[in-house]
Amino acid sequence: MIRKFFKTILVLLLISIAYTIVCRWIMPPITITQLGSLFAGNGLRRDYVSWDEISSNAKLAAIAGEDQLFPEHGGFDWSAIEKSLDTRHKNRIRGAAASTISQQTAKNVFLWQGEGIMKYVRKAPEFFYTKMIEWFWGKKRILCVYLNTIEMGKGVYGIEAASQKYFHHSAKYLTRKEAAMIIACLPNPKVFTVLPESRFVRWKSNWILRQMNNIQSDTDIRKIIN
């Protein structure tokens, strides 16, 4: 019985590794979060696009708003995690407290959303998948998949669908302001609406624009977004 259990675990692990490697070249057909959106009646508006079809403004806005250490870390921002465990350092500016773009991508593609007990159940596989995509995908691929799969409005997934819905043109032509507005909704895209522009999105998009100006000349960031 125990032998069968460990054999099953090994098979599932190998399947997970194989699927992760395959997603280095193809976008995930569907994610648990996207299925949840369908079952909840929110619909699924999604249109995957390639790296070259995404404006560099969107790439820069994502790094500026969500994870400015993205070029440097190996998947985890340990200093931010430490601060997130200390209630004295709670900061609403981060898109998802202590979660890097790599972690969010791993969660969006391979795992599930949710707080409470499910959040803690998710931690071990989130660590596994985060390290896997860092090893096998590289930064550009992680950012590309992130921008294609993250929820950017109720039932709206990915930068292309968001750009078409809010601004009626392709993600390739997003301006700095438009990109900042979309990224600003990420802490809770069902609540913080891009259009009509919520108070939070207005405030945070302006903050993101300032951060974009601050980091745009960084050599490591330029290597990723270009």
Side-chain angles (χ1 to χ4, degrees):
M1 188 69 177
I2 295 176
R3 186 176 180 180
K4 186 177 180 179
F5 171 77
F6 282 108
K7 186 177 180 179
T8 302
I9 294 297
L10 178 60
V11 170
L12 292 174
L13 180 63
L14 292 174
I15 291 173
S16 295
I17 294 173
Y19 181 58
T20 305
I21 295 173
V22 167
C23 285
R24 170 66 177 83
W25 294 281
I26 66 168
M27 288 292 176
I30 195 75
T31 68
I32 294 173
T33 304
Q34 292 168 0
L35 284 173
S37 179
L38 281 172
F39 293 145
N42 294 325
L44 177 57
R45 185 168 181 168
R46 186 193 73 179
D47 188 7
Y48 291 151
V49 290
S50 69
W51 178 258
D52 293 333
E53 294 174 294
I54 302 174
S55 165
S56 60
N57 291 325
K59 300 165 188 174
L60 180 60
I63 295 174
E66 293 292 292
D67 184 5
Q68 294 184 19
L69 295 179
F70 180 62
E72 302 171 22
H73 63 62
F76 301 92
D77 183 351
W78 296 109
S79 62
I81 292 173
E82 183 179 350
K83 286 183 179 180
S84 75
L85 298 174
D86 188 339
T87 56
R88 294 172 300 175
H89 294 285
K90 292 294 183 184
N91 188 342
R92 200 180 181 190
I93 286 177
R94 292 191 63 83
S99 290
T100 64
I101 285 175
S102 302
Q103 286 176 270
Q104 292 181 60
T105 304
K107 181 175 68 174
N108 291 334
V109 173
F110 303 106
L111 302 170
W112 59 88
Q113 308 296 320
E115 297 298 319
I117 186 65
M118 296 307 294
K119 176 180 178 180
Y120 295 99
V121 171
R122 192 179 64 224
K123 286 302 178 184
E126 182 180 311
F127 180 89
F128 170 78
Y129 282 114
T130 298
K131 295 307 296 184
M132 286 286 291
I133 63 176
E134 281 280 342
W135 290 335
F136 289 111
W137 290 10
K139 296 294 185 179
K140 284 192 175 184
R141 180 60 178 175
I142 291 171
L143 186 58
C144 182
V145 175
Y146 173 79
L147 287 169
N148 270 293
T149 57
I150 196 163
E151 186 176 18
M152 295 174 163
K154 185 180 285 188
V156 179
Y157 289 85
I159 194 70
E160 178 67 16
S163 182
Q164 294 287 357
K165 176 178 175 61
Y166 302 128
F167 305 112
H168 312 293
H169 58 69
S170 171
K172 188 174 183 177
Y173 304 109
L174 281 169
T175 66
R176 291 169 76 92
K177 176 61 177 176
E178 291 168 346
M181 287 174 65
I182 293 174
I183 297 301
C185 81
L186 296 186
N188 193 335
K190 292 185 177 70
V191 174
F192 303 134
T193 56
V194 177
L195 290 176
E197 189 179 28
S198 67
R199 182 179 299 179
F200 177 82
V201 166
R202 185 180 302 114
W203 168 78
K204 190 175 179 185
S205 64
N206 287 326
W207 180 86
I208 290 173
L209 284 168
R210 293 194 297 272
Q211 297 304 307
M212 291 169 72
N213 289 332
N214 290 340
I215 68 173
Q216 64 183 352
S217 60
D218 184 282
T219 303
D220 293 331
I221 290 176
R222 299 306 307 176
K223 286 180 181 177
I224 292 176
I225 68 175
N226 291 329

